[in-house]
Amino acid sequence: MRTDDLIHFCPPARLIMGAGARAQLPSLVSYLGFRHGLLVTDPFFSTRTPWVREYVDEAAREGVETFVFDGGVADPTTTLCDDATVQIHAALGGRVPDHVIALGGGSNIDLAKALCLTLREGRPVREFVGTSAAQRPLPLIALPTTAGTGSEATPGAILVDPSNATKVAVMDNALRPQIALIDPEFTYTCPPNVTADAGIDALTHAIESYLTTDSSVYDRAEHPDPGYSGRSSITMTFARESIQLCARYLKRCYDDGTDTEARAGMCQASVYAALSYGSAGLNAVHGIAYAVAGLTHRSHGTTNAVMLPYVLGALTGTRRTELVELARIFGIEADDDRAAIEALCRRVRTLIASVGIPTDLRALGVPRSALPALTQDALAVTRLAKAFPVPNVAAAYADVVQRAFDGQIGKTPVRVHATSA
């Protein structure tokens, strides 16, 4: 029990999970009074799976009309969102749908979240970047097809601004889905590389939120309805369960995509991680990974994976007890805490390598000369940097980046006495 917690916890309004659960959706949508919907997906799901047509036909039998937009892409841009807004308005004759359904990975769900805002008045999505949503978004129903991003339980939509190739966020608790429906059968189509990327993303979400800044001291900027508010006993409970599931099922899922028990386990791991980080927030792994992705254009899961073991090592001085707990989850028993933590870092790195993901920055093609600029770019993501629970964030970031380049685990973290960044 953490009696000093200041809890602000915002899960989806409805969470439905189980193999075949998608069959429940048409009748539920009708029961809730929706009649004119938009389904956001991509060409793979609209043309190569039966799921879109099955839903549209069954929803029609329930009295719900559904327009399908299948222009989703990986890393959707603000331009795509604005173009889709115009296209959908034209196709619907100016009528605004009364709900939006997202079918796909995190990219499709992010696009759908943004459209929940832009479709009301046709305003460009840039007007919502960096601010509260302000106006009421359309109700969102999220059907994730990967086990990793957790977008079905989080308050933000991430888009790429093509004018400068940076990622921008639209953030508001009102963007959390009204219904998050997790059907493990959706993930059966995921190839091994997608399974690995998504699975490591889920593990990263769970570990980062388990170790992040406490809710009692988290900087909420006096926001009355913060999207992220630090770790608490609630978020840590979900994170711990997610980590246990990832330790048990991630490699199994990667090795055999037909292992339905492992697929279900990783779907649960992804949701539990999202319920944790969706309120607690993240920190250095994602902060540095964003900078690595900008330099290498590698996937989100891969860039997270490369940084994760080295960030863990940097927390030895401030999260020793929790790191030893994580070591036990991974089956590591050691009398000495430092030995247990070092073994944990190595075990996580071994897991990453076992699912075909590089384990150091050199393997991603990052030159040594790029490290200072990479570190500064990572520190510029201030909402993540300031949540990293170490005495000196700037020095810790520089040390982590250097270790990740050298592939160096186990050395004593750099001790610095300057104020944190």
Side-chain angles (χ1 to χ4, degrees), residues 91-129:
L92 297 180
R95 182 178 63 185
V96 177
D98 59 17
H99 67 288
V100 176
I101 299 174
L103 173 68
S107 292
N108 287 353
I109 297 175
D110 281 351
L111 176 60
K113 285 179 178 178
L115 289 169
C116 284
L117 288 168
T118 61
L119 284 172
R120 278 202 180 276
E121 300 174 358
R123 293 162 59 188
V125 73
R126 283 186 179 85
E127 294 187 12
F128 301 100
V129 170

Side-chain angles (χ1 to χ4, degrees), residues 330-353:
F330 279 90
I332 297 165
E333 296 291 344
D335 295 332
D336 176 75
D337 286 354
R338 186 171 293 277
I341 294 169
E342 181 176 336
L344 170 66
C345 297
R346 293 188 183 282
R347 181 70 57 85
V348 169
R349 188 169 67 176
T350 298
L351 173 61
I352 290 165

Side-chain angles (χ1 to χ4, degrees), residues 53-177:
R53 179 48 51 195
E54 285 176 354
Y55 173 79
V56 170
D57 290 348
E58 187 57 36
R61 284 189 280 272
E62 294 282 350
V64 181
E65 176 189 359
T66 308
F67 175 76
V68 176
F69 174 80
D70 65 354
V73 298
D75 297 320
T77 65
T78 54
T79 302
L80 171 62
C81 180
D82 292 342
D83 289 346
T85 301
V86 172
Q87 179 181 333
I88 293 165
H89 266 175
L92 297 180
R95 182 178 63 185
V96 177
D98 59 17
H99 67 288
V100 176
I101 299 174
L103 173 68
S107 292
N108 287 353
I109 297 175
D110 281 351
L111 176 60
K113 285 179 178 178
L115 289 169
C116 284
L117 288 168
T118 61
L119 284 172
R120 278 202 180 276
E121 300 174 358
R123 293 162 59 188
V125 73
R126 283 186 179 85
E127 294 187 12
F128 301 100
V129 170
T131 64
S132 172
Q135 70 175 23
R136 289 182 301 108
L138 299 172
L140 176 66
I141 299 168
L143 311 178
T145 58
T146 60
T149 69
S151 298
E152 69 276 8
T154 61
I158 306 297
L159 302 174
V160 176
D161 184 342
S163 66
N164 55 17
T166 60
K167 291 187 176 183
V168 296
V170 178
M171 193 79 63
D172 195 282
N173 282 324
L175 290 173
R176 296 181 192 265

Side-chain angles (χ1 to χ4, degrees), residues 14-355:
R14 291 170 181 81
L15 177 60
I16 301 167
M17 185 158 45
R22 64 187 181 278
Q24 305 173 33
L25 187 60
S27 59
L28 176 57
V29 169
S30 178
Y31 173 80
L32 294 175
F34 296 125
R35 291 296 176 263
H36 306 287
L38 166 69
L39 193 156
V40 178
T41 189
D42 59 54
F44 175 84
F45 296 112
S46 65
T47 64
R48 298 179 61 183
T49 76
W51 302 328
V52 173
R53 179 48 51 195
E54 285 176 354
Y55 173 79
V56 170
D57 290 348
E58 187 57 36
R61 284 189 280 272
E62 294 282 350
V64 181
E65 176 189 359
T66 308
F67 175 76
V68 176
F69 174 80
D70 65 354
V73 298
D75 297 320
T77 65
T78 54
T79 302
L80 171 62
C81 180
D82 292 342
D83 289 346
T85 301
V86 172
Q87 179 181 333
I88 293 165
H89 266 175
L92 297 180
R95 182 178 63 185
V96 177
D98 59 17
H99 67 288
V100 176
I101 299 174
L103 173 68
S107 292
N108 287 353
I109 297 175
D110 281 351
L111 176 60
K113 285 179 178 178
L115 289 169
C116 284
L117 288 168
T118 61
L119 284 172
R120 278 202 180 276
E121 300 174 358
R123 293 162 59 188
V125 73
R126 283 186 179 85
E127 294 187 12
F128 301 100
V129 170
T131 64
S132 172
Q135 70 175 23
R136 289 182 301 108
L138 299 172
L140 176 66
I141 299 168
L143 311 178
T145 58
T146 60
T149 69
S151 298
E152 69 276 8
T154 61
I158 306 297
L159 302 174
V160 176
D161 184 342
S163 66
N164 55 17
T166 60
K167 291 187 176 183
V168 296
V170 178
M171 193 79 63
D172 195 282
N173 282 324
L175 290 173
R176 296 181 192 265
Q178 293 296 301
I179 301 172
L181 191 150
I182 292 84
D183 187 336
E185 293 179 5
F186 283 143
T187 69
Y188 293 177
T189 61
C190 288
N193 65 313
V194 175
T195 298
D197 252 41
I200 292 294
D201 200 20
L203 177 62
T204 303
H205 291 153
I207 290 178
E208 268 194 287
S209 59
Y210 191 69
L211 302 173
T212 199
T213 297
D214 290 325
S215 63
S216 59
V217 296
Y218 191 92
D219 181 7
R220 306 181 190 193
E222 299 183 353
H223 197 295
D225 189 28
Y228 300 113
S229 52
R231 70 175 187 171
S232 68
S233 54
I234 292 177
T235 66
M236 292 177 75
T237 297
F238 283 115
R240 191 182 297 109
E241 181 66 16
S242 175
I243 295 163
Q244 291 172 343
L245 289 164
C246 288
R248 186 180 312 148
Y249 291 120
L250 200 161
K251 183 64 162 60
R252 272 179 56 177
C253 211
Y254 173 80
D255 288 341
D256 181 5
T258 67
D259 185 337
T260 56
E261 179 184 348
R263 288 289 193 190
M266 284 308 299
C267 283
Q268 292 182 14
S270 177
V271 174
Y272 296 150
L275 290 171
S276 178
Y277 95 87
S279 287
L282 302 168
N283 49 72
V285 179
H286 273 70
I288 301 173
Y290 287 150
V292 174
L295 182 64
T296 66
H297 305 292
R298 297 295 291 268
S299 70
H300 179 65
T302 292
T303 52
N304 276 337
V306 170
M307 300 312 307
L308 179 59
Y310 308 99
V311 171
L312 290 179
L315 291 169
T316 301
T318 56
R319 291 291 185 263
R320 180 184 298 266
T321 299
E322 293 91 335
L323 289 167
V324 173
E325 291 173 355
L326 296 186
R328 293 195 184 101
I329 289 175
F330 279 90
I332 297 165
E333 296 291 344
D335 295 332
D336 176 75
D337 286 354
R338 186 171 293 277
I341 294 169
E342 181 176 336
L344 170 66
C345 297
R346 293 188 183 282
R347 181 70 57 85
V348 169
R349 188 169 67 176
T350 298
L351 173 61
I352 290 165
S354 75
V355 296

